[in-house]
Amino acid sequence: MHIAIWQILLLTLFAAFLAYDFTSQLIIVYGGVVMVGFVTGLIMGDVKTGLIIGGTMQLMALGVVPIGGSSVPDYSVGTLIGTAFAIGSGKGLEAALAVGIPVATLAVQLDVFRKMSGSFLIHQAMKAVDNYDNKKAYRWIMSGVILSSLAYGLPVFIALTFGQGVVNAFIQWMPVWLINGFKVAAGLLPSVGMSILLRYMPFKNYWYYALGGFFFAAYLKVPILGIALVGLIIAAISFKQSSENTKLAIEGADNDDEI
């Protein structure tokens, strides 16, 4: 397995940017884990594999969100490192899951560190604001951004630089039964993620949409893009009808007031 030094540097900068992006513009993070897989695949020279890994990890992450001060597995970091090692070793999705899932779980500690340090730094910034020292407050806030970026960038750099030999040995050692297990996990875990997501959605009120999607995919063999376009059309029609009903209700209320 070989990852060039320029790829390691770009992936390190990308990881640092993800930490910054999470607390600011949401350029990549808003697009989800699949966007992390896409960019990582672009840097590694295999966009298709990056999208496959990112999409699989995205489905695992569905419905798993940090509520309040809780921390959850960081599938973005797991996808970044897993995709890099999978493409570098040429082993594909199984290798990505073998590396990415444990990394995503361990990355919980990064989130805990980020929140603990952020709590201290924001209080310092608030004290500066109370003293009308806006420049000092800005420095405290930016120091939190920098610290958070380092907390994500440095582990990625260390893992990609010094962990290649260990990961490569592990991938070469993986027996057939373990590889088959990860193949099963690749098919099962996305379903679990989708189930968790549906648990928190008003599925009982809109079950017929899910049934329609299943019918298109299973019996008519319509590709995912085609089903998504049908869903977009239905959503647009529903939104238009809802807007018209709201407009009529408002006009009716205005007429009643005039009377």
Side-chain angles (χ1 to χ4, degrees):
M1 181 177 65
H2 176 70
I3 303 177
I5 184 63
W6 67 269
Q7 291 174 321
I8 293 176
L9 292 176
L10 282 180
L11 291 173
T12 300
L13 291 174
F14 180 49
F17 174 77
L18 286 176
Y20 165 76
D21 190 40
F22 181 78
T23 56
S24 58
Q25 304 299 319
L26 298 178
I27 298 172
I28 297 295
V29 175
Y30 186 79
V33 178
V34 66
M35 283 298 296
V36 178
F38 168 74
V39 176
T40 305
L42 188 64
I43 294 174
M44 293 297 299
D46 190 345
V47 174
K48 180 180 179 180
T49 299
L51 286 172
I52 292 173
I53 296 172
T56 302
M57 298 288 272
Q58 178 74 74
L59 290 173
M60 295 180 190
L62 289 177
V64 182
V65 295
I67 300 175
S70 63
S71 297
V72 299
D74 195 325
Y75 287 101
S76 293
V77 175
T79 299
L80 192 157
I81 295 180
T83 302
F85 281 129
I87 296 176
S89 64
K91 296 294 183 178
L93 181 60
E94 293 78 26
L97 295 179
V99 177
I101 294 177
V103 168
T105 305
L106 292 174
V108 171
Q109 304 306 319
L110 295 177
D111 188 55
V112 173
F113 171 78
R114 182 179 63 82
K115 289 177 178 176
M116 290 178 60
S117 61
S119 178
F120 169 77
L121 295 171
I122 197 63
H123 279 88
Q124 299 302 314
M126 291 169 65
K127 290 180 181 179
V129 171
D130 291 337
N131 294 325
Y132 302 99
D133 192 344
N134 293 332
K135 291 184 178 180
K136 187 175 181 180
Y138 177 78
R139 287 196 295 268
W140 278 114
I141 293 173
M142 289 307 300
S143 64
V145 174
I146 294 172
L147 187 62
S148 181
S149 296
L150 289 175
Y152 279 77
L154 284 178
V156 169
F157 177 79
I158 293 173
L160 295 179
T161 303
F162 303 104
Q164 294 187 51
V166 176
V167 174
N168 187 45
F170 173 73
I171 292 174
Q172 295 296 331
W173 166 83
M174 284 196 303
V176 176
W177 61 267
L178 184 60
I179 295 176
N180 291 334
F182 281 119
K183 289 182 179 179
V184 173
L188 179 63
L189 290 178
S191 301
V192 174
M194 184 64 70
S195 299
I196 295 174
L197 179 64
L198 292 176
R199 175 66 178 80
Y200 294 100
M201 293 179 66
F203 180 72
K204 293 181 180 179
N205 298 330
Y206 304 102
W207 59 268
Y208 40 86
Y209 289 120
L211 183 61
F214 175 78
F215 173 77
F216 281 124
Y219 293 98
L220 300 183
K221 306 301 180 182
V222 178
I224 295 298
L225 180 59
I227 297 175
L229 291 175
V230 172
L232 178 62
I233 294 171
I234 294 174
I237 295 173
S238 298
F239 178 77
K240 184 177 181 180
Q241 290 178 344
S242 177
S243 299
E244 290 177 350
N245 292 335
T246 302
K247 183 179 179 180
L248 291 174
I250 294 174
E251 292 176 351
D254 292 339
N255 293 333
D256 292 338
D257 291 339
E258 293 176 357
I259 296 174

